[in-house]
Amino acid sequence: MPTLMDRILGLDRRWIFLLVLIAVVLPTLFPIGLPTTTTDSTRRAFDYIESLKPGDVVWLSFDYGPSSAPENDPMAEGLMRQCFVKHVRVIVSALYPLGGLALANNSLARVVAEFPNLKYGEDYVNLGYKDGAAAVMRQLGESIGGAFPTDVNGKPIAEIPMMQGVHDLHQVKLVFTAATGIIGEWWITQVHAQIGTPVIIGPTAVSAPKYFAYLNAGQLVGMLGGMKGAAEYEKLLQVSHPELATLYRSTPHFTGAKGMDAQAVAHALIILFIVVGNFAYIQHRAAARRRS
Amino acid sequence: MNLEFGRVTLFVLFMLIPIVGIALGVRAPALRSRLPLLVAFFAGTIPILAMYIPKNFLSGPQGMSSRLDQWLIIVAGFALLLGIVNVIQNGMRKVSRRESGWPFSVVLLTGLFVTGALGIYGAVSHQGIGFLPDGRSTPFKWIQDSMFLPLQATIFSLLAFFMASAAFRAFRARNLEATILLIAGGLVMAGRVPLLDLLAAPFPALHASAAAGTQTLGKLTEWIMDTPNGAAQSGIIIGAALGAASMAIRVILGIERGYLGLGGGE
Amino acid sequence: MRNGVLSRASARLPRFAAPLLASLLFLHPQTAVAIAPEVAPPPSPQIPAATLFTAKDRPGDSGGAVLLTWKDPPGLGPDARLEIRRAEPPSFEWTPLQLVKPGEERYVDESAKDGSVYRYEIRVVPQGATAQPDSLAAAPATGPPLVTEPVTSHDDWFRVDRTNSLIASILFLIILLASISVAKSGKHIFIRRIAGLNAVDEAIGRATEIGKKVMYIPGIQSMDEIQTIASIAILGHVARSTARYGTDLDVPNKDPLTFVSAREAVRGAYLAEGRPDLYREEMVNYVTYDQFAYTAAVSARMVRERPAAIFLIGYFFAESLILAEMGQSTGAIQIAGQADPTQLPFFIATCDYTLIGEELYAASAYLSREPVLLGSTRAQDIAKGILIVLGLLGIVVTSLGLSWFPDLFKTK
């Protein structure tokens, strides 16, 4: 006759799936509003962008697809908001083949609508998607026009006002890559290592542990790790720029902070599973020892 | 005709030599097996030389190394055709023999042909695969937005469920290493979210303590990620990089030939 | 340096003036001596001039760039600017290039064309000036200009800033070739036990006993990724085992180039084992290029066909946990391997054996026991030993305040 501990150890995984589903759906429907603490890696990223001057140029690369949009979209949009508030100019590109450009277009449209005084071609430009990520990055070090001869609308970049003094990445103050997979790492090895342009990465949470090695080695200026990193960044933005606080409070769109409630409950549930599972395992082992 | 040194050299190395080699190899199988190794040697050596020799013909924007990058994309495109042919062959075989699961092959082939046809139509008609002139989505984009993207998000979201079931099953204190893994994993999971704030939410008197606890947990998590994790990741990355360099040199020098189906090293 | 008499010369000089004046460049020993006809207002003696202005081809590049360096004049305010202009001799038609802030003392002209001869001029301009021809014609007085010798840009044969990287690469190559030579001489090379690789034959044997297939997933990256090449090499070994035991093999692929290579590797393995009759084209099949569509298809195949052994070896991303967990749910024995550390925790939590980091690259040597491959594996260990020693040395040296040591290893 299986004991309670045996039943727990042999629990059908579908019960676990159901509980996780409830843990994620309920906080999404009924937000709790949990506070967010900030970490050093996010603070470093924020401070670096905050130190940029009006007129400086930042390269924002959408290197992720729709599957990681909930994590990466808030990061990319947060960066654009910080840059636009500080009158820092933004060059947008996409190097992820499946869906990167669509996400770039959507995010850019969303944020630009919040800043009615922005002018395309003077305050920001969208260069679109280019295939061959690492090769494109190497070419950006020599000539941006060589990699992106036109913007996403087909206009030659020589005719775009804000690209006049920006010939290659040497004139760019920062590269921010919202990335999934290996493309983010290529910005570090191909761009920062070869050209010296500072890089901030916004990886998915699963890739973030790897980038601590680069952060500690000084090859990254900062990092926003996953949705938590995005939520931290949003908090720092709201503290430093009150006009953005109003925006974040009232926006109907998804933000990092909105996702953290569900993540907190899911983490709590998983920790509970681990504790219960270990309790059952220890009891089971003790019972087996007693029987033998 | 553009007779730049780089273009001529690439032509000789990757077209002339292989063609001559294949022609000679018809009579000499040993030569036939050496040919891919020769191509691999040149394809591997040119980018390495381009790292150190900044001459335009080698490492410039139109140099040999850049052209090889472009060729890789072109070759991958042709290989994709091979892949598609294979998918169609397998699908047709399953349908014709009524193998188990054959209706799914019908769905697969239908999706392949319909989406492919819409994409080709968009290119041929100059409509593109985005928006029509009147602002409506093209059928291709509708399929992408309504089917492809939600399905992608759905499969990715399975991770949350599988993560929970994997944690429940695998995070057991079986031995010392597993216990360390368990404790570190639990601490990082707790530190990455305002867990104590969540647990103390119904008890206002505990909010301040919970906030302080969250701060402490957060700092501990940062330390775990920065120090032990950072060190371990650095070690693995460096070791893997050396292994990759060794493997790459073996491939370039023709020592490693397993990936060509030619057996082990020599 | 322009002298006071000539600076007050009329704007229009005789036609022979330019070559005559230019010839003074070659006679005068100083760096910047050209006296050019000028259409702008005469320089003000109160505004200081830069010194030591030199122009040379930027070293170690692919050409198309001229490096300019100078020393700012003392007492230059932060609002002042230094204007750099360029002319193509024998003409002295200056084209403004850039307004540079004080303190930079360096500028790279990346619009230079290889083979074209240029001359550069630098002068202090008052605050508010822009690098536009019209504004200069009407601008107030500027500082005395300094002009360089003619210079031309060209591509170079060697990137000097990568010398340390070249030395390290050559050293590694020497170690590799020496280790291979030692291995070929018959000396025994020790490789520690790698549980995951020892389990390969066990997994295939189990599949043979049960009568179920072996599924081999070679990662989702293309053949330009070294982990994929390593995976295909291991696939060859696995295929030889399945050919030997007569076990069914299924290799679903996400990348088309990997699909082609995997097919060749498996076909070659079955031929080498003398079992071409067992090889079927559908063993190695292409699924789709999309990451999660591939994951869905392979997961479904695992659930339907329930392979007895699953190999997840190569470069994986987010789909790793889905595939491994799905495989675990079918009860298959799973062996995973990836050099990149990102997905390793998921494999460790769900698979029976995991190859970590460079164990993946050592696999082909471990499984085949070929002396040459063993020798190269030993070489990478020797290189790692050297790096460890250098790392420890670096800790000691840097703690003593000798910061030049880490700079030896910086490379661009």
Side-chain angles (χ1 to χ4, degrees), chain C residues 208-223:
Chain C
T208 313
E209 279 168 21
I210 300 174
K212 293 277 188 181
K213 66 164 74 173
V214 170
M215 184 179 271
Y216 191 102
I217 302 168
I220 65 163
Q221 286 291 85
S222 187
M223 289 299 284

mmCIF file of all heavy atoms in Angstrom, chain C residues 208-223:
data_model
loop_
_atom_site.group_PDB
_atom_site.id
_atom_site.type_symbol
_atom_site.label_atom_id
_atom_site.label_comp_id
_atom_site.label_asym_id
_atom_site.label_seq_id
_atom_site.Cartn_x
_atom_site.Cartn_y
_atom_site.Cartn_z
ATOM 1 N N THR C 208 18.880 -1.629 -27.939
ATOM 2 C CA THR C 208 18.854 -2.865 -28.736
ATOM 3 C C THR C 208 18.066 -3.940 -28.018
ATOM 4 O O THR C 208 17.259 -4.649 -28.627
ATOM 5 C CB THR C 208 20.290 -3.369 -28.990
ATOM 6 O OG1 THR C 208 21.099 -2.286 -29.427
ATOM 7 C CG2 THR C 208 20.304 -4.476 -30.029
ATOM 8 N N GLU C 209 18.275 -4.064 -26.714
ATOM 9 C CA GLU C 209 17.563 -5.103 -25.938
ATOM 10 C C GLU C 209 16.063 -4.880 -25.970
ATOM 11 O O GLU C 209 15.279 -5.819 -26.135
ATOM 12 C CB GLU C 209 18.007 -5.047 -24.475
ATOM 13 C CG GLU C 209 19.306 -5.749 -24.192
ATOM 14 C CD GLU C 209 19.803 -5.393 -22.785
ATOM 15 O OE1 GLU C 209 18.979 -4.974 -21.956
ATOM 16 O OE2 GLU C 209 21.016 -5.545 -22.569
ATOM 17 N N ILE C 210 15.665 -3.614 -25.778
ATOM 18 C CA ILE C 210 14.233 -3.311 -25.711
ATOM 19 C C ILE C 210 13.610 -3.367 -27.110
ATOM 20 O O ILE C 210 12.406 -3.548 -27.255
ATOM 21 C CB ILE C 210 14.017 -1.908 -25.087
ATOM 22 C CG1 ILE C 210 14.588 -1.867 -23.681
ATOM 23 C CG2 ILE C 210 12.544 -1.553 -25.030
ATOM 24 C CD1 ILE C 210 14.555 -0.489 -23.046
ATOM 25 N N GLY C 211 14.439 -3.170 -28.102
ATOM 26 C CA GLY C 211 13.914 -3.168 -29.460
ATOM 27 C C GLY C 211 13.365 -1.811 -29.876
ATOM 28 O O GLY C 211 12.543 -1.710 -30.784
ATOM 29 N N LYS C 212 13.835 -0.779 -29.176
ATOM 30 C CA LYS C 212 13.385 0.573 -29.512
ATOM 31 C C LYS C 212 14.540 1.327 -30.174
ATOM 32 O O LYS C 212 15.693 0.912 -30.114
ATOM 33 C CB LYS C 212 12.964 1.317 -28.239
ATOM 34 C CG LYS C 212 11.729 0.737 -27.599
ATOM 35 C CD LYS C 212 10.498 1.269 -28.251
ATOM 36 C CE LYS C 212 9.257 0.846 -27.494
ATOM 37 N NZ LYS C 212 8.045 1.342 -28.141
ATOM 38 N N LYS C 213 14.192 2.480 -30.718
ATOM 39 C CA LYS C 213 15.210 3.213 -31.465
ATOM 40 C C LYS C 213 16.071 4.072 -30.560
ATOM 41 O O LYS C 213 15.754 4.286 -29.388
ATOM 42 C CB LYS C 213 14.544 4.099 -32.523
ATOM 43 C CG LYS C 213 13.700 5.216 -31.936
ATOM 44 C CD LYS C 213 13.372 6.301 -32.930
ATOM 45 C CE LYS C 213 12.348 5.872 -33.925
ATOM 46 N NZ LYS C 213 11.900 6.985 -34.784
ATOM 47 N N VAL C 214 17.159 4.556 -31.148
ATOM 48 C CA VAL C 214 18.013 5.571 -30.524
ATOM 49 C C VAL C 214 17.712 6.894 -31.223
ATOM 50 O O VAL C 214 17.676 6.955 -32.450
ATOM 51 C CB VAL C 214 19.507 5.203 -30.707
ATOM 52 C CG1 VAL C 214 20.409 6.359 -30.283
ATOM 53 C CG2 VAL C 214 19.843 3.944 -29.921
ATOM 54 N N MET C 215 17.469 7.919 -30.416
ATOM 55 C CA MET C 215 17.238 9.240 -31.028
ATOM 56 C C MET C 215 18.449 10.120 -30.734
ATOM 57 O O MET C 215 18.897 10.198 -29.575
ATOM 58 C CB MET C 215 15.978 9.890 -30.445
ATOM 59 C CG MET C 215 15.636 11.225 -31.109
ATOM 60 S SD MET C 215 14.151 11.988 -30.470
ATOM 61 C CE MET C 215 12.920 11.275 -31.518
ATOM 62 N N TYR C 216 18.987 10.749 -31.766
ATOM 63 C CA TYR C 216 20.166 11.603 -31.600
ATOM 64 C C TYR C 216 19.796 12.994 -32.091
ATOM 65 O O TYR C 216 19.452 13.183 -33.262
ATOM 66 C CB TYR C 216 21.352 11.051 -32.405
ATOM 67 C CG TYR C 216 22.662 11.719 -32.089
ATOM 68 C CD1 TYR C 216 23.599 11.098 -31.265
ATOM 69 C CD2 TYR C 216 22.975 12.976 -32.612
ATOM 70 C CE1 TYR C 216 24.810 11.711 -30.961
ATOM 71 C CE2 TYR C 216 24.175 13.586 -32.305
ATOM 72 C CZ TYR C 216 25.087 12.952 -31.481
ATOM 73 O OH TYR C 216 26.285 13.555 -31.181
ATOM 74 N N ILE C 217 19.878 13.976 -31.184
ATOM 75 C CA ILE C 217 19.541 15.355 -31.537
ATOM 76 C C ILE C 217 20.828 16.173 -31.511
ATOM 77 O O ILE C 217 21.410 16.390 -30.439
ATOM 78 C CB ILE C 217 18.515 15.932 -30.536
ATOM 79 C CG1 ILE C 217 17.264 15.053 -30.534
ATOM 80 C CG2 ILE C 217 18.146 17.365 -30.910
ATOM 81 C CD1 ILE C 217 16.322 15.337 -29.396
ATOM 82 N N PRO C 218 21.311 16.621 -32.689
ATOM 83 C CA PRO C 218 22.630 17.255 -32.749
ATOM 84 C C PRO C 218 22.617 18.768 -32.498
ATOM 85 O O PRO C 218 23.432 19.493 -33.062
ATOM 86 C CB PRO C 218 23.074 16.954 -34.185
ATOM 87 C CG PRO C 218 21.812 16.927 -34.964
ATOM 88 C CD PRO C 218 20.733 16.420 -34.047
ATOM 89 N N GLY C 219 21.711 19.246 -31.658
ATOM 90 C CA GLY C 219 21.693 20.679 -31.389
ATOM 91 C C GLY C 219 20.930 21.436 -32.460
ATOM 92 O O GLY C 219 20.472 20.858 -33.445
ATOM 93 N N ILE C 220 20.785 22.735 -32.279
ATOM 94 C CA ILE C 220 19.982 23.511 -33.222
ATOM 95 C C ILE C 220 20.805 24.525 -33.997
ATOM 96 O O ILE C 220 20.264 25.319 -34.751
ATOM 97 C CB ILE C 220 18.811 24.231 -32.514
ATOM 98 C CG1 ILE C 220 19.337 25.286 -31.529
ATOM 99 C CG2 ILE C 220 17.906 23.239 -31.811
ATOM 100 C CD1 ILE C 220 18.268 26.287 -31.123
ATOM 101 N N GLN C 221 22.108 24.502 -33.808
ATOM 102 C CA GLN C 221 22.930 25.451 -34.542
ATOM 103 C C GLN C 221 23.474 24.811 -35.811
ATOM 104 O O GLN C 221 23.382 23.588 -36.003
ATOM 105 C CB GLN C 221 24.099 25.924 -33.657
ATOM 106 C CG GLN C 221 23.694 26.884 -32.569
ATOM 107 C CD GLN C 221 23.268 28.229 -33.085
ATOM 108 O OE1 GLN C 221 22.109 28.417 -33.463
ATOM 109 N NE2 GLN C 221 24.164 29.171 -33.143
ATOM 110 N N SER C 222 24.067 25.675 -36.639
ATOM 111 C CA SER C 222 24.532 25.206 -37.933
ATOM 112 C C SER C 222 25.963 24.683 -37.840
ATOM 113 O O SER C 222 26.569 24.670 -36.765
ATOM 114 C CB SER C 222 24.448 26.352 -38.939
ATOM 115 O OG SER C 222 24.729 25.887 -40.229
ATOM 116 N N MET C 223 26.504 24.274 -38.972
ATOM 117 C CA MET C 223 27.849 23.688 -38.990
ATOM 118 C C MET C 223 28.946 24.727 -38.812
ATOM 119 O O MET C 223 30.119 24.376 -38.751
ATOM 120 C CB MET C 223 28.083 22.921 -40.294
ATOM 121 C CG MET C 223 27.302 21.635 -40.392
ATOM 122 S SD MET C 223 27.704 20.458 -39.088
ATOM 123 C CE MET C 223 29.287 19.840 -39.660
#
